[in-house]
Amino acid sequence: MLVHLFKLIWNKKRQNFLLMLEMFVSFIVLFVVFTLSVFYYNNYRKQQGFEYEDVWAVNYGLPPGITSKDSINMLVESLRNMISSMPQVEQLSFTGNNIPYSANIFNTSIDYKGKGVISDIYTADTRYAEVLNLTMLSGNWGFKKGERKQRSAVVVNTTLKEVLFGQEEAIGKRVKVDNEELEVTGVVNDFKSKGDYQEPGNGLFRIPDSIDHQAQSMILLKISPDADAAFEAKLYKAVSNFSKNTSVEIEHLSKKREAKNRLTLIPMLILFTVASFLIINVALGLFGVLWYTINRRKPEIGLRRAVGASGTDISGQISGEALVLTTISVLAGCFFAVQFPLLNVFDLPSNVYFAAILLSVTFIYLLVIICSVYPARQAASIYPALALHEE
């Protein structure tokens, strides 16, 4: 029976070519949509890794005309003491402008024993982990008091630790960043700083021996829940008086997270819209082709009923032809989709691609089955006398 159905489809390949092409294109679009959906869903399920609620980011500038590093350090320390004295401020940290959920990205190559990987680089002082409530898995955030500091300290996240050192102990290892030798003093948990739907990726945190405030233009503040707009205005005024003629901006990480997530989901919404139009087009096309085929083949169906074919046989043939059409299109689509995990396109895990292929195949077949049920039932209701009468 199956061979007979393939012969029928092959003999009508010209009539069915456009429908098979639509199914093929729809499969590819569905594969892309499901790939992104599975990837985003897997990332969304992962732990956030840090606390963003009640964390504010203050973008400030140094007063103009001051170039001495000692003078800058004294001024910034006075700013730290002033902000820390506010009762609503629980903790603060000076850091670079690539804070969580920011559009700013700084990455470079990390070298260890000739092995180089690209990693995000963060510059932060020793209070950074306390503000975001990061979990130290081993070691410390910087050197302990009294330790000899021959080089700058860095902390790596779990992902970068596994890439560089595997199962080896990371503490005490020396890595090179832009030809500068740095010593790993701690390993911190992964955290999703680029949004809920993005994977953490490699992360390295530089903790300078002496704070370079010229490279740290942001302040992260852990604020008490009772902080209100009045406190925000007070904070803004205090920082503005310090920065003089430079601009000051205060942002809430919770709002930045929402904006980052919306930005990530926009491409998904566009793809879903395109896929929906294609699926509707395929469904209508398939339904119309089956309906037209049944009306055109009434004499053939009536003859089959006259020689003993049951309604179930007729219904099975119509549905079978639709499934054979789908199988040809899906096999062609799977051939191209399988190339993505084999060639490691976009550097996504292979299980994401295979899950997307499975979901795409399942969706296409379910769509075809649903669209073929009613036409197949109509074909099964054709009786020999009706077919001969119309003939």
Side-chain angles (χ1 to χ4, degrees):
M1 181 64 179
L2 186 61
V3 175
H4 176 67
L5 291 176
F6 270 99
K7 285 182 178 180
L8 288 175
I9 297 300
W10 178 255
N11 291 335
K12 300 175 182 178
K13 53 183 178 294
R14 289 186 178 180
Q15 296 93 316
N16 298 322
F17 175 75
L18 287 178
L19 183 58
M20 288 191 293
L21 181 62
E22 285 183 352
M23 289 185 180
F24 169 78
V25 174
S26 298
F27 177 86
I28 296 299
V29 173
L30 282 173
F31 170 70
V32 174
V33 171
F34 282 126
T35 297
L36 288 177
S37 299
V38 172
F39 177 69
Y40 287 160
Y41 176 71
N42 288 342
N43 292 334
Y44 184 79
R45 292 176 57 195
K46 295 178 181 178
Q47 294 291 331
Q48 196 74 34
F50 75 109
E51 292 183 5
Y52 56 87
E53 294 289 350
D54 299 322
V55 176
W56 295 3
V58 181
N59 185 358
Y60 75 103
L62 295 172
I66 301 177
T67 57
S68 170
K69 188 172 182 179
D70 292 336
S71 299
I72 292 174
N73 286 345
M74 290 179 60
L75 283 172
V76 174
E77 285 305 311
S78 66
L79 175 64
R80 179 196 295 276
N81 295 332
M82 178 183 64
I83 296 177
S84 298
S85 64
M86 297 179 178
Q88 292 87 351
V89 178
E90 298 179 356
Q91 188 57 273
L92 66 86
S93 170
F94 286 85
T95 182
N97 58 8
N98 55 339
I99 59 174
Y101 308 129
S102 170
N104 300 310
I105 298 175
F106 175 60
N107 54 32
T108 189
S109 177
I110 311 296
D111 296 318
Y112 174 70
K113 292 184 177 180
K115 181 179 182 180
V117 296
I118 300 297
S119 172
D120 290 327
I121 308 295
Y122 304 89
T123 302
D125 64 19
T126 54
R127 300 175 179 86
Y128 188 87
E130 298 177 29
V131 172
L132 297 180
N133 195 24
L134 300 178
T135 302
M136 293 297 302
L137 303 179
S138 61
N140 302 284
W141 195 274
F143 291 106
K144 292 182 179 179
K145 291 183 178 180
E147 286 185 326
R148 188 177 180 183
K149 304 175 183 179
Q150 297 179 342
R151 57 192 59 83
S152 295
V154 294
V155 173
V156 297
N157 67 354
T158 305
T159 300
L160 183 59
K161 183 262 181 187
E162 292 176 354
V163 171
L164 289 178
F165 314 120
Q167 300 301 319
E168 299 179 10
E169 176 60 51
I171 309 302
K173 293 289 194 304
R174 299 176 185 178
V175 298
K176 283 188 176 181
V177 179
D178 297 330
N179 295 323
E180 181 183 0
E181 194 173 69
L182 308 170
E183 182 173 334
V184 178
T185 63
V187 179
V188 71
N189 65 297
D190 289 336
F191 67 97
K192 297 187 289 186
S193 63
K194 299 177 182 178
D196 295 347
Y197 304 101
Q198 300 292 333
E199 57 185 353
N202 300 324
L204 181 142
F205 303 84
R206 299 190 59 169
I207 303 96
D209 295 336
S210 59
I211 298 176
D212 185 4
H213 292 293
Q214 292 174 318
Q216 296 175 299
S217 58
M218 299 290 294
I219 309 174
L220 287 179
L221 304 176
K222 181 64 177 178
I223 304 299
S224 60
D226 61 343
D228 53 13
F231 166 72
E232 186 171 349
K234 178 182 177 182
L235 176 64
Y236 179 86
K237 183 178 180 180
V239 179
S240 296
N241 290 335
F242 168 83
S243 298
K244 304 298 182 182
N245 297 326
T246 61
S247 60
V248 175
E249 184 179 7
I250 299 177
E251 298 177 292
H252 299 195
L253 287 195
S254 57
K255 295 181 180 179
K256 290 179 69 67
R257 168 179 170 267
E258 294 174 1
K260 193 72 172 179
N261 288 340
R262 284 196 299 268
L263 188 63
T264 303
L265 292 177
I266 287 175
M268 280 295 301
L269 294 176
I270 295 174
L271 281 174
F272 269 121
T273 303
V274 173
S276 299
F277 278 112
L278 280 173
I279 294 305
I280 293 172
N281 190 37
V282 169
L284 293 176
L286 180 62
F287 192 85
V289 166
L290 291 176
W291 188 271
Y292 173 75
T293 300
I294 291 170
N295 288 316
R296 191 167 56 86
R297 295 169 60 184
K298 278 187 177 181
E300 173 193 338
I301 296 173
L303 183 59
R304 288 201 61 197
R305 293 299 304 270
V307 297
S310 65
T312 303
D313 295 333
I314 300 299
S315 177
Q317 179 183 348
I318 299 300
S319 299
E321 290 179 7
L323 292 175
V324 168
L325 275 174
T326 306
T327 301
I328 295 173
S329 303
V330 166
L331 287 176
C334 286
F335 172 79
F336 289 97
V338 168
Q339 307 306 313
F340 283 76
L342 294 179
L343 300 177
N344 197 26
V345 180
F346 303 126
D347 199 26
L348 298 181
S350 298
N351 62 320
V352 172
Y353 291 118
F354 289 120
I357 292 174
L358 179 61
L359 289 172
S360 301
V361 170
T362 303
F363 188 91
I364 288 289
Y365 275 109
L366 285 176
L367 177 68
V368 170
I369 291 173
I370 292 172
C371 291
S372 63
V373 167
Y374 184 74
R377 290 182 59 185
Q378 291 296 106
S381 65
I382 296 176
Y383 293 99
L386 179 61
L388 292 173
H389 175 74
E390 292 186 1
E391 183 67 17

